[in-house]
Amino acid sequence: MKSKFLLCGLAVLALPFVFHQKIIEFTFVNPYAEWAEKIDTEGLQVGHPLDQKHLDIAKEIGIKNPEKIRLVYVDEVPFPRENSLLKFIGETAGLIGDGVVNNA
């Protein structure tokens, strides 16, 4: 009986190690990617297309579809303040947070 309990306990402890990539993807990456896609979609709706000068520069540096680029002017980079998990991920990865300068 003890050996079955021990084996079951080891199996439960091993699951996170076996499936850690899926757990990370489901818990962290997918929500952050969904947030980023939402911000991107909003930018496409309110953004301004490049003028001819900037279209030429974009083509010169190898951007394949510069006509799809939209410029969005903001006072600050969008930040997932409403979701503490996304905020933590972004800050931990160095993508967002105090002192992060975005020159994109």
Side-chain angles (χ1 to χ4, degrees):
M1 184 71 165
K2 284 185 178 182
S3 62
K4 285 184 181 180
F5 181 73
L6 181 61
L7 185 59
C8 185
L10 289 174
V12 169
L13 291 174
L15 284 175
F17 292 106
V18 174
F19 295 106
H20 71 282
Q21 289 179 327
K22 288 293 181 190
I23 292 169
I24 291 169
E25 180 181 332
F26 180 77
T27 306
F28 301 111
V29 177
N30 286 346
Y32 201 84
E34 288 170 8
W35 172 80
E37 286 176 7
K38 175 182 170 258
I39 296 299
D40 184 55
T41 299
E42 290 173 4
L44 289 173
Q45 293 170 359
V46 300
H48 304 282
L50 298 178
D51 60 24
Q52 190 58 51
K53 174 185 171 187
H54 292 105
L55 280 169
D56 292 341
I57 292 170
K59 289 175 186 173
E60 187 177 313
I61 63 170
I63 296 176
K64 292 183 181 179
N65 297 300
E67 67 280 353
K68 293 182 178 181
I69 295 173
R70 296 294 179 265
L71 300 175
V72 179
Y73 299 96
V74 295
D75 293 326
E76 65 180 0
V77 175
F79 198 78
R81 288 180 171 83
E82 71 284 347
N83 186 318
S84 58
L85 178 61
L86 295 185
K87 182 177 178 258
F88 173 76
I89 295 166
E91 289 173 333
T92 302
L95 301 173
I96 56 174
D98 294 333
V100 174
V101 177
N102 186 336
N103 295 321

